[in-house]
Amino acid sequence: MNNKKYHNFICQIIDQDLNKNKNLSFHTRFPPEPNGHLHIGHAKSICLNFELAYLYKGRCNLRFDDTNPLKENIKYINSIKYDISWLGYKWYGNVHYSSEYFFKLYQYAKQLIYQGLAYVDHLTKEQIREYRGTLNTPGRNSPYRDRTIQENIKLFKKMKKGEYNEGEACLRAKIDMNSSFIIMRDPVLYRILFAHHHQTKDDWYIYPTYDFAHCLSDSIEKITHSLCTLEFQDNKRLYNWILENTNVKHYPKQYEFSRLNLEFSILSKRKLKILIDDNIVEGWNDPRISTISGLRRKGYTPSSIKHFCQKIGITKQNNLIEYSLLEHCIRKELNQTAIRSMAILEPIKIILYNLDKNHKEILIVPNHPNNPDMGTHEILFTNIIYIERSDFKEEYDKKYKRLRIGEEIRLRYAYIIKAEKIEKDKFNNIINIICYCDTNSLGKKPKNKKNPAVIHWISIHNALPAEFRLYDQLFNIKNPEQQTNFLSYINPKSLIKKYGFIEKKLEKMIYKYIMNYNDQLHFQFERIGYFCLDYIDSKKNYLVFNRTVHLRDVWNVKK
Ligand code: ATP
Ligand code: MG
């Protein structure tokens, strides 16, 4: 394997396997449960499985692990397919479902019963848990464990026909109630569920468990390397036990790697669902959560997410990844690709008293300072402009380098102005700043003086109203995932909305984007940050921009 970019310990295993078996047809799979949207943790697994398949000229399947119809939904299937394709990956052949194999799995279960390796049990869920014992105490055999094979076959068929109520019977593997691995203490293989399934409709009353379905589905699909996260380490015993005790022709191997844990983020679908159901966030695509759809809406691109997954690598160590690394990856990309323009989030008016009321000057500005190929756009300079409220200070402050009475400032791409007085309303709020414009300063350095600081601005005749959504972390602690009461750590300021202006001359380009349903249009609003058009809430005449990331790279500074 010569691609260093994606090298990790799993590559060493694959290299060895390929050395031993030159005919090995390398095959991975990504097996999501369709019970929620994908998040950045899934992206780690997606990148691993698909990138390895590309690297080794193998294949990667997409298989929905759909063994729990109570929690699954077709809308999750569609969103998962969309997100994987959006990331730029193509699964091999058709989309697969564990439910495609329900009949085969049923036959394999009967095989286990015929060998005396599975039995129908009538203990309740609670009793099964109690009989299972703990890490320090052995389990106890169920009183139904020693039924005859014929009886078990008969009862299993009864289960299949729907002749038992939910919870009245289940099928369990007959392994070892004293095993030091709790997973091997007669795990449940099938349970009864009178549920409508999105794929198999009302065909089944019994559903295989994850452990029973997963290894056999891997085998049926001829997966060679079944990659999963570390919490399945113990399940590997059961994975192998099932394959060894059924007459499968193909033996996949399971390898584990550590899950992604990301600072300030919840990466458990169950907990994400709580955030959504409790209206703490607005849905699966809320930019404050690290779902793929949330990150997309915030402005993260497929390449930035892949770059991040590459940088964190694949290991067996559990750690908490810094959020600033994820931000670093998108910032690095947007620095190259985002169109530069000006936006005012909290406007205050400047009146340039020495300019004519009809003064209209078109200035041509680059879309990117270092990339002429990105072209230029026009801005308009007139006698009344908006600047950012925070770029003016009334009180004396020696350290303040922006606009003050009696001081000069350069308007980005335009002239030097000097503030002379302010006008206030009856509540003592500043409404206008009256300035002098040095009409001889365009593109010229001031003589015998230091260059003044530069601020951004927009002419009132080139100002298009827009909403700006400024996102901060949803939690005010780094590891909310580890807190049982994670909801008590919500940052009340995770979303702040501002109502200001963007350059009206960009309107045409933006509307074209909205009309074409393109999902991402990025800007660097100078001095403010990288923003992305919100393609869901933006409409003609109402534009919304989401802040993707600040300009300042804290990750790079620290390293
Ligand atoms: P959740 O706890 O969020 O519900 P899950 O593991 O149940 O996650 P699945 O849909 O079963 O979610 O996951 C599909 C694949 O993605 C699995 O192989 C799983 O190991 C992997 N995966 C899930 N979360 C992460 C993560 N945080 N980091 C890396 N891989 C992950
Ligand atoms: Mg799972």
Side-chain angles (χ1 to χ4, degrees):
M1 223 273 307
N2 45 25
N3 191 329
K4 285 267 174 349
K5 227 167 65 172
Y6 221 88
H7 207 272
N8 56 54
F9 77 95
I10 295 175
C11 296
Q12 287 169 4
I13 295 169
I14 302 169
D15 288 339
Q16 282 165 10
D17 290 346
L18 286 169
N19 268 338
K20 270 189 260 163
N21 178 2
K22 300 270 184 256
N23 295 324
L24 186 83
S25 161
F26 181 72
H27 207 145
T28 57
R29 88 287 169 263
F30 175 65
E33 254 177 270
N35 59 355
H37 285 227
L38 296 181
H39 52 60
I40 184 86
H42 293 114
K44 174 176 178 177
S45 173
I46 293 170
C47 289
L48 176 68
N49 282 292
F50 282 93
E51 294 288 343
L52 288 178
Y54 291 147
L55 230 55
Y56 288 96
K57 302 197 172 25
R59 294 160 175 172
C60 180
N61 285 7
L62 168 61
R63 182 201 319 138
F64 286 100
D65 217 328
D66 54 348
T67 52
N68 186 1
L70 297 177
K71 290 199 171 155
E72 296 160 10
N73 194 310
I74 197 87
K75 69 176 189 217
Y76 296 137
I77 294 187
N78 293 333
S79 81
I80 291 172
K81 288 199 288 194
Y82 183 86
D83 285 349
I84 298 173
S85 305
W86 179 78
L87 283 173
Y89 293 116
K90 219 170 165 315
W91 49 87
Y92 174 70
N94 294 334
V95 172
H96 293 288
Y97 298 86
S98 297
S99 56
E100 263 170 75
Y101 315 128
F102 278 176
F103 190 69
K104 281 188 187 166
L105 299 179
Y106 173 69
Q107 303 284 40
Y108 281 126
K110 281 199 301 189
Q111 270 184 30
L112 290 178
I113 300 177
Y114 277 122
Q115 295 176 81
L117 293 176
Y119 61 97
V120 172
D121 197 3
H122 300 293
L123 292 183
T124 62
K125 227 174 157 180
E126 293 70 32
Q127 286 171 324
I128 291 180
R129 196 175 305 134
E130 190 206 319
Y131 273 57
R132 190 176 289 141
T134 63
L135 276 176
N136 306 319
T137 52
R140 277 183 293 142
N141 285 353
S142 159
Y144 305 99
R145 198 175 195 260
D146 293 319
R147 291 181 143 143
T148 64
I149 289 173
Q150 280 65 31
E151 200 180 351
N152 277 317
I153 285 286
K154 198 178 90 199
L155 299 180
F156 188 45
K157 284 185 179 164
K158 265 181 88 169
M159 279 173 63
K160 179 174 182 277
K161 281 192 197 149
E163 291 177 17
Y164 285 114
N165 287 326
E166 284 184 14
E168 263 181 11
C170 67
L171 185 75
R172 295 178 70 180
K174 192 170 177 177
I175 309 179
D176 178 5
M177 290 306 288
N178 290 321
S179 171
S180 46
F181 296 92
I182 290 183
I183 184 92
M184 300 303 271
R185 295 184 188 169
D186 291 10
V188 174
L189 304 179
Y190 268 90
R191 73 267 198 233
I192 296 168
L193 286 177
F194 290 109
H196 181 79
H197 189 286
H198 48 94
Q199 302 298 313
T200 59
K201 313 296 174 203
D202 299 309
D203 287 354
W204 293 88
Y205 302 115
I206 53 171
Y207 288 91
T209 52
Y210 166 86
D211 283 312
F212 189 63
H214 200 85
C215 52
L216 290 167
S217 305
D218 278 350
S219 169
I220 294 167
E221 291 178 12
K222 296 195 168 56
I223 302 305
T224 53
H225 294 71
S226 178
L227 310 176
C228 62
T229 35
L230 282 174
E231 68 272 20
F232 292 100
Q233 219 155 9
D234 284 355
N235 301 54
K236 179 150 72 181
R237 289 177 184 269
L238 181 56
Y239 185 103
N240 291 338
W241 184 92
I242 294 169
L243 294 178
E244 280 156 18
N245 290 295
T246 43
N247 69 344
V248 297
K249 295 186 185 64
H250 182 84
Y251 289 85
K253 274 198 177 154
Q254 178 184 306
Y255 298 100
E256 308 87 24
F257 61 96
S258 61
R259 288 177 87 81
L260 167 67
N261 304 304
L262 182 63
E263 275 182 359
F264 305 107
S265 303
I266 289 284
L267 297 183
S268 140
K269 281 179 281 186
R270 188 181 60 78
K271 291 183 185 165
L272 283 169
K273 220 164 166 303
I274 296 175
L275 292 174
I276 294 160
D277 293 344
D278 290 4
N279 289 322
I280 292 165
V281 295
E282 281 164 21
W284 287 99
N285 62 0
D286 190 301
R288 288 168 294 177
I289 51 177
S290 298
T291 49
I292 308 276
S293 48
L295 289 169
R296 172 166 62 237
R297 196 168 172 195
K298 200 171 178 187
Y300 278 78
T301 58
S303 43
S304 65
I305 294 174
K306 288 189 209 173
H307 183 202
F308 170 75
C309 291
Q310 214 179 74
K311 270 192 162 309
I312 57 175
I314 299 289
T315 66
K316 276 186 178 279
Q317 258 91 54
N318 268 316
N319 50 13
L320 186 62
I321 302 290
E322 287 165 81
Y323 197 86
S324 60
L325 175 60
L326 182 63
E327 293 187 322
H328 166 79
C329 293
I330 185 65
R331 187 183 293 108
K332 199 166 171 219
E333 178 175 328
L334 294 182
N335 185 29
Q336 306 292 324
T337 58
I339 299 165
R340 267 46 170 184
S341 80
M342 296 192 275
I344 304 290
L345 271 53
E346 278 185 82
I348 186 164
K349 246 190 244 166
I350 289 211
I351 299 176
L352 300 167
Y353 70 85
N354 59 324
L355 293 188
D356 190 90
K357 275 200 180 70
N358 300 318
H359 185 98
K360 276 206 172 120
E361 196 176 340
I362 301 267
L363 301 164
I364 310 285
V365 303
N367 287 336
H368 193 287
N370 310 322
N371 184 358
D373 290 347
M374 282 175 65
T376 56
H377 70 270
E378 291 180 349
I379 54 173
L380 186 65
F381 183 65
T382 60
N383 72 320
I384 306 179
I385 61 172
Y386 291 117
I387 66 162
E388 211 66 70
R389 194 163 276 271
S390 59
D391 280 337
F392 176 77
K393 205 166 193 178
E394 193 182 355
E395 315 76 52
Y396 179 75
D397 179 348
K398 207 176 154 194
K399 286 197 194 128
Y400 191 74
K401 293 280 178 280
R402 286 163 280 164
L403 198 57
R404 283 197 304 109
I405 300 291
E407 299 293 332
E408 287 185 338
I409 198 95
R410 160 84 67 185
L411 298 175
R412 179 78 162 142
Y413 303 119
Y415 298 88
I416 293 175
I417 59 168
K418 183 174 181 178
E420 297 197 349
K421 60 178 187 185
I422 47 179
E423 289 173 357
K424 292 187 171 181
D425 63 12
K426 59 179 177 192
F427 307 106
N428 207 31
N429 296 318
I430 302 173
I431 43 169
N432 294 317
I433 307 165
I434 314 295
C435 296
Y436 171 78
C437 174
D438 178 355
T439 50
N440 198 25
S441 61
L442 187 68
K444 287 185 201 157
K445 278 191 182 164
K447 274 190 200 136
N448 312 325
K449 270 193 288 187
K450 269 208 334 216
N451 260 329
V454 181
I455 62 170
H456 58 282
W457 58 278
I458 292 182
S459 154
I460 59 161
H461 298 293
N462 188 28
L464 184 69
E467 176 181 324
F468 301 90
R469 297 184 182 164
L470 308 181
Y471 296 103
D472 196 356
Q473 300 296 358
L474 183 59
F475 295 95
N476 45 30
I477 48 165
K478 279 192 180 170
N479 199 347
E481 193 94 72
Q482 289 205 330
Q483 310 292 332
T484 38
N485 55 345
F486 67 100
L487 292 180
S488 20
Y489 298 94
I490 299 285
N491 170 9
K493 293 191 179 146
S494 61
L495 168 60
I496 291 174
K497 293 183 180 178
K498 300 270 179 196
Y499 301 89
F501 301 101
I502 62 158
E503 295 174 22
K504 194 168 170 46
K505 285 188 178 286
L506 298 171
E507 194 176 16
K508 249 197 206 151
M509 181 230 290
I510 293 172
Y511 286 155
K512 213 166 92 193
Y513 238 78
I514 297 178
M515 297 306 163
N516 291 340
Y517 299 104
N518 282 342
D519 63 8
Q520 291 185 314
L521 177 62
H522 302 280
F523 288 97
Q524 186 202 89
F525 292 139
E526 297 205 23
R527 300 180 60 231
I528 301 177
Y530 291 101
F531 282 75
C532 182
L533 182 73
D534 187 288
Y535 49 88
I536 292 178
D537 290 344
S538 290
K539 301 184 242 330
K540 205 166 167 136
N541 300 325
Y542 195 78
L543 296 179
V544 179
F545 292 88
N546 296 327
R547 183 168 63 198
T548 313
V549 70
H550 291 276
L551 295 177
R552 206 165 75 86
D553 196 335
V554 265
W555 192 76
N556 249 357
V557 169
K558 270 191 290 188
K559 306 289 136 172

